[in-house]
Amino acid sequence: MILQVLQPIFDPTFSEHSYGFRPGRSAQQAVTAAKRYVQEGRRWVVDVDLEKFFDRVNHDILMSKLAKRMEDKRMLGLIRRYLKAGMMAEGVVVKREEGTPQGGPLSPLLANVLLDEVDKALEKRGHAFARYADDGNVYVKSERAAKDVRETLRHLYAKLKLKVNESKSRVTRLILGVLASF
């Protein structure tokens, strides 16, 4: 029910470069966009993986983003309770202090609400990118630009108290249009 109320409010404001868990959007569209960026001459890709994203979403940061767009205190309270709901671990209910319920119908929308700030910052800088949920690639024309984007992303994610998984994140040069795995 909450998703049905919030989706029409938030989804139209999300970046056009966001493809994950949105009505009328798909992973295939993200791949098509990536191919277009490569065809435009962007031969370097910054692939940033967020470490345990859904487990590490900061509730206060997320709630502040929601509160900027919503006035209904009851709805905000309900979302806060959803985020704080305990989870079962080995048959015992464990309190949740951060993260969103994985597999919950509302979690993908909340992820997009949180990550939209990064999308908007990339758009403002004129970058070509595609994001599907917490996985994103930024396409640039030089190695130097790629390294700069990687640092920018580290900084933007750190502001959201998210950690980049350094072992899974990389800067890659694409050869003859071969795409790195998404």
Side-chain angles (χ1 to χ4, degrees):
M1 175 193 81
I2 296 171
L3 179 62
Q4 291 174 351
V5 171
L6 296 183
Q7 189 95 42
I9 295 169
F10 285 96
D11 194 75
T13 67
F14 291 149
S15 167
E16 69 181 69
H17 303 278
S18 169
Y19 297 92
F21 307 107
R22 296 184 57 201
R25 301 256 171 172
S26 68
Q28 182 59 43
Q29 290 173 322
V31 170
T32 299
K35 287 179 182 177
R36 184 177 66 249
Y37 299 145
V38 172
Q39 290 168 349
E40 292 170 355
R42 292 174 173 89
R43 299 286 189 223
W44 288 87
V45 63
V46 180
D47 180 8
V48 174
D49 180 77
L50 295 174
E51 193 172 287
K52 298 181 180 180
F53 171 75
F54 285 98
D55 293 334
R56 297 221 169 123
V57 168
N58 181 287
H59 293 173
D60 292 334
I61 291 172
L62 175 58
M63 291 305 300
S64 73
K65 293 189 177 310
L66 291 168
K68 287 178 185 175
R69 303 273 312 277
M70 299 171 51
E71 294 180 16
D72 188 337
K73 302 290 186 213
R74 293 177 302 156
M75 181 67 80
L76 290 167
L78 190 57
I79 294 168
R80 172 75 76 171
R81 286 191 297 279
Y82 169 81
L83 292 171
K84 295 263 183 215
M87 59 186 166
M88 291 292 271
E90 298 179 21
V92 178
V93 175
V94 178
K95 287 178 67 173
R96 182 188 315 271
E97 298 300 326
E98 64 181 358
T100 63
Q102 290 190 42
L106 190 55
S107 294
L109 176 71
L110 296 177
N112 282 329
V113 167
L114 185 64
L115 295 175
D116 191 56
E117 176 179 315
V118 174
D119 294 345
K120 294 294 185 346
L122 291 172
E123 286 177 348
K124 188 175 180 179
R125 290 169 171 84
H127 289 299
F129 66 97
R131 183 176 62 78
Y132 191 91
D134 62 319
D135 296 315
N137 290 339
V138 182
Y139 299 85
V140 295
K141 293 185 176 185
S142 72
E143 182 177 15
R144 179 71 195 151
K147 289 179 179 179
D148 288 347
V149 166
R150 181 176 55 192
E151 287 307 310
T152 296
L153 287 171
R154 282 185 184 132
H155 173 74
L156 291 169
Y157 289 131
K159 284 177 40 180
L160 298 174
K161 296 191 178 181
L162 297 170
K163 186 174 181 184
V164 171
N165 183 337
E166 298 298 337
S167 67
K168 292 184 178 180
S169 299
R170 61 192 175 276
V171 170
T172 306
R173 182 169 186 258
L174 304 175
I175 301 171
L176 299 174
V178 176
L179 291 175
S181 61
F182 223 103

